[in-house]
């Protein structure tokens, strides 16, 4: 039985909540609007995007004037925000009793395992919060409710603080980061696919969809926009079909996770749809995001704010397009949040089993951070973003004032000969200490900017994994 394209309430992502977002650009069909600028491949977004490189910040900082424009723009757009585009993600169904569908509820709180993987450092395998504050360091936020979270320096790889970093939990649509990092290099963006019924088989009930239709053609570029902006499971399944099918794609993703040493991750579905034994961890999702951000296309898609997506096609007429907007609320400012200064992506998710999950990347000044939060217990559509923003704020303030509690390890294929063997799988050996490479940060350079209404940017990452500072076998404690 094929998945209907007027689906039930979004189960894997917030497509239904954000489907009312109006067009925020005057882009022509196929044109994308992104969260920032850089030389060369990053398009200029009019006069409202201004560089602040003279102040030492390679992301444009949002001024008070810009904030006022944001509020004014939002007020002016309220009437249009109440009308859905003709081909936007469909409205959630009734709950069977005449009311709207209920939002997914996170499962009851569970305790983390007493013993977890020590990949990246022994402290990361311990339950609870791990942080080593030096004199003058700010205290961690007091309102954190995530089951698992991590704050890491994206350049050096140092983990500044963590909470149950290796707890293996359902990842929701953050699993799409691994999907993209695995498949992007092998699918040319100009390649076109005419979608078949078979391509759409296996899309789970209630999935978030971008609106792919059978018997219509889509480019790989279109489909990736559907994956990153709308978390479209329909787009994921078409791309999986182009990769040889879902089964092969799952195997490819699992192999890539092992190459990245994301050993808490077990892939069952390529889109992150709830499935038994499909798990990842805050540590692994951060590793995966860091790897993805080394790819230009990945940076481009996860940093895109809005785009035109192909709609219906009538004979003898130009193809219709409709606006899609990124569901990353720290990028768009949806749901009453303010866009986070320097945000560059990467991916959010929400399912019944996983609750809310989010991995974000941001830069302020010369500092680049990665934050992952999994399943906050506070409830509410914004809690995962609010806790991520709080951890970003803490990380930017605490940088240089804390002793790292661990590190992000390099891929197995990276040159780690000076630092010991690659990490071992916790799944196969729960007591494995990992022996990660030291000081394995990438040489990151960031070029980005902010729109008048939407802050954002894109990581520009050197693929090189520099040698670390520590001697062979030394552990971070």
């Amino acid at each position: 039985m094929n998945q209907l394209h007027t689906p039930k309430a979004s189960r894997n992502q917030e497509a239904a909540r954000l489907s009312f977002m109006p067009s925020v650009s005057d882009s022509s069909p196929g044109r994308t609007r992104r969260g920032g600028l850089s030389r060369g491949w990053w398009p200029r977004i009019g006069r409202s995007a201004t560089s602040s490189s003279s102040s030492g910040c390679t992301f444009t900082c949002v001024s008070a004037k810009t904030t006022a424009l944001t509020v004014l723009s939002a007020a002016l757009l309220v009437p249009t925000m109440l009308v859905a585009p003709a081909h936007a993600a469909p409205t959630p169904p009734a709950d069977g009793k005449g009311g709207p569908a209920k939002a997914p509820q996170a499962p009851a709180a569970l305790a983390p395992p007493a013993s977890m993987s020590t990949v990246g450092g022994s402290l990361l395998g311990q339950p609870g919060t791990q942080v080593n504050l030096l004199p003058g360091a700010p205290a961690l936020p007091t309102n954190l409710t995530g089951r698992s979270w991590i704050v890491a320096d994206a350049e050096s790889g140092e983990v500044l603080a963590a909470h149950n970093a290796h707890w293996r939990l359902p990842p929701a649509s953050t699993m799409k980061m691994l999907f993209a990092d695995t498949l992007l290099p092998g699918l040319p963006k100009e390649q076109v696919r005419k979608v078949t019924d078979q391509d759409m088989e296996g899309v789970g009930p209630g999935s978030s969809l971008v609106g792919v239709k059978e018997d219509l053609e889509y480019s790989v570029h279109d489909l990736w926009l559907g994956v990153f902006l709308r978390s479209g499971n329909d787009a994921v399944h078409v791309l999986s079909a182009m990769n040889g099918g879902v089964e092969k794609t799952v195997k490819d993703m699992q192999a890539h996770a092992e190459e990245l040493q994301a050993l808490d991750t077990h892939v069952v579905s390529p889109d992150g749809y709830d499935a038994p034994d499909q798990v990842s961890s805050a540590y692994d999702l951060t590793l995966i995001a860091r790897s993805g951000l080394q790819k230009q296309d990945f940076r481009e898609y996860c940093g895109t704010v809005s785009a035109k997506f192909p709609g219906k096609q009538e004979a003898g007429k130009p193809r219709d397009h409709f606006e899609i907007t990124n569901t990353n609320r720290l990028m768009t400012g949806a749901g009453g949040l303010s866009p986070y200064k320097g945000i560059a992506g990467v991916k959010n998710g929400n399912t019944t089993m996983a609750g809310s999950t989010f991995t974000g990347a941001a830069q302020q000044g010369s500092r680049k951070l990665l934050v992952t939060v999994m399943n906050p217990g506070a409830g509410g559509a914004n809690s995962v973003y609010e806790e991520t923003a709080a951890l970003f704020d803490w990380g930017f303030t605490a940088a240089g004032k804390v002793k790292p509690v661990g590190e992000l390890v390099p891929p197995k294929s990276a040159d780690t000969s000076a630092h010991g063997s690659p990490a071992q799988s916790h799944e196969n050996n729960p007591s494995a200490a990992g022996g990660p490479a030291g000081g394995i940060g990438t040489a990151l350079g960031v070029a980005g900017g902010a729109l008048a209404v939407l802050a954002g940017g894109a990581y520009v990452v050197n693929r090189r994994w520099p040698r670390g500072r520590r001697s062979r076998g030394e552990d971070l404690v």
Side-chain angles (χ1 to χ4, degrees):
M1 180 175 178
N2 293 328
Q3 169 70 15
L4 297 176
H5 296 292
T6 53
K8 297 181 181 179
S10 174
R11 177 173 174 175
N12 275 57
Q13 194 51 271
E14 298 175 321
R17 296 188 190 121
L18 296 181
S19 62
F20 62 83
M21 286 293 291
S23 171
V24 289
S25 75
D26 57 358
S27 55
S28 58
R31 176 91 178 268
T32 59
R33 182 177 186 179
R34 303 179 178 91
L37 336 159
S38 71
R39 298 187 184 122
W41 54 274
W42 201 265
R44 186 169 296 277
I45 315 291
R47 294 182 180 178
S48 61
T50 56
S51 173
S52 63
S53 57
S54 60
S55 65
C57 177
T58 53
F59 271 41
T60 301
C61 298
V62 181
S63 65
K65 182 178 180 181
T66 298
T67 303
L69 285 172
T70 302
V71 175
L72 176 60
S73 300
L76 292 174
L77 289 173
V78 166
T80 61
M81 291 173 70
L82 300 177
V83 181
H87 301 284
T91 303
D95 59 5
K97 300 178 181 179
K102 295 181 179 179
Q105 298 297 312
L110 300 172
S115 176
M116 294 176 282
S117 169
T118 54
V119 171
S122 59
L123 286 178
L124 299 182
Q126 297 182 19
T129 301
Q130 309 301 324
V131 64
N132 286 324
L133 300 176
L134 299 178
L140 282 165
T142 58
N143 58 343
L144 301 176
T145 65
R147 288 189 182 183
S148 175
W149 53 259
I150 190 169
V151 183
D153 187 300
E155 186 170 28
S156 69
E158 294 175 341
V159 177
L160 306 184
H163 179 75
N164 302 324
H166 281 290
W167 192 358
R168 305 176 77 186
L169 297 166
S173 285
T174 49
M175 182 66 82
K176 291 182 172 76
M177 294 190 298
L178 178 61
F179 173 75
D181 195 38
T182 303
L183 267 64
L184 264 171
L187 294 174
K189 64 169 61 179
E190 67 277 2
Q191 186 175 345
V192 173
R193 176 81 168 191
K194 185 174 182 179
V195 177
T196 68
D197 291 345
Q198 290 73 28
D199 292 346
M200 304 299 294
E201 287 180 353
V203 176
S207 287
S208 53
L209 307 177
V210 67
V212 173
K213 303 284 188 178
E214 292 93 339
D215 300 321
L216 293 181
E217 293 184 344
Y218 300 87
S219 69
V220 167
H221 177 73
D222 294 331
L223 294 168
W224 282 123
L225 288 171
V227 170
F228 277 91
L229 273 67
R230 302 304 300 171
S231 203
N233 290 5
D234 46 358
V236 169
H237 277 254
V238 175
L239 289 165
S240 296
M242 298 176 73
N243 185 59
V246 169
E247 184 176 353
K248 177 181 181 298
T249 297
V250 167
K251 290 180 180 179
D252 290 346
M253 290 170 64
Q254 190 65 58
H256 188 53
E258 293 172 5
E259 157 61 19
L260 296 178
Q261 307 203 62
L263 303 178
D264 297 322
T265 300
H266 182 236
V267 186
V268 178
S269 66
D271 48 25
Y273 192 84
D274 282 339
D277 300 323
Q278 178 152 273
V279 292
S280 190
S281 66
Y283 182 88
D284 281 14
L285 292 175
T286 307
L287 275 186
I288 293 163
R290 194 175 184 221
S291 175
L293 288 166
Q294 295 180 58
K295 298 174 175 63
Q296 177 176 317
D297 286 346
F298 188 105
R299 296 193 304 269
E300 178 180 354
Y301 293 128
C302 80
T304 298
V305 175
S306 64
K308 296 290 188 179
F309 192 81
K312 63 182 180 181
Q313 176 71 69
E314 295 184 9
K317 295 183 180 180
R319 188 167 184 180
D320 288 345
H321 287 74
F322 57 92
E323 190 89 7
I324 58 174
T325 304
N326 203 312
T327 56
N328 177 352
R329 295 187 175 193
L330 289 187
M331 180 173 290
T332 65
L337 295 175
S338 297
Y340 193 83
K341 184 179 73 174
I343 193 71
V346 246
K347 192 70 190 76
N348 52 337
N350 191 306
T351 69
T352 303
M353 291 174 62
S356 295
T357 59
F358 182 63
T359 297
Q363 178 187 5
Q364 293 183 12
S366 61
R367 186 73 59 179
K368 306 99 182 176
L369 297 180
L370 287 163
V371 171
T372 296
V373 175
M374 302 186 76
N375 199 346
N382 287 336
S383 57
V384 74
Y385 303 106
E386 291 167 344
E387 295 190 19
T388 298
L391 287 169
F392 270 134
D393 288 344
W394 175 85
F396 286 122
T397 304
K401 302 175 183 177
V402 296
K403 181 180 179 181
V405 295
E407 62 186 354
L408 303 177
V409 298
K412 287 182 179 179
S413 59
D415 180 9
T416 60
S417 57
H419 313 296
S421 302
Q424 302 175 41
S425 172
H426 173 65
E427 185 173 2
N428 297 329
N429 182 4
S431 63
I440 46 71
T442 57
L444 288 175
V446 180
L451 306 175
V453 183
L454 303 168
Y459 274 59
V460 178
V461 183
N462 192 315
R463 293 176 181 271
R464 198 168 155 266
W465 295 89
R467 291 179 179 272
R469 299 182 296 275
R470 295 190 290 112
S471 61
R472 183 186 183 102
E474 184 179 349
D475 197 13
L476 283 170
V477 294

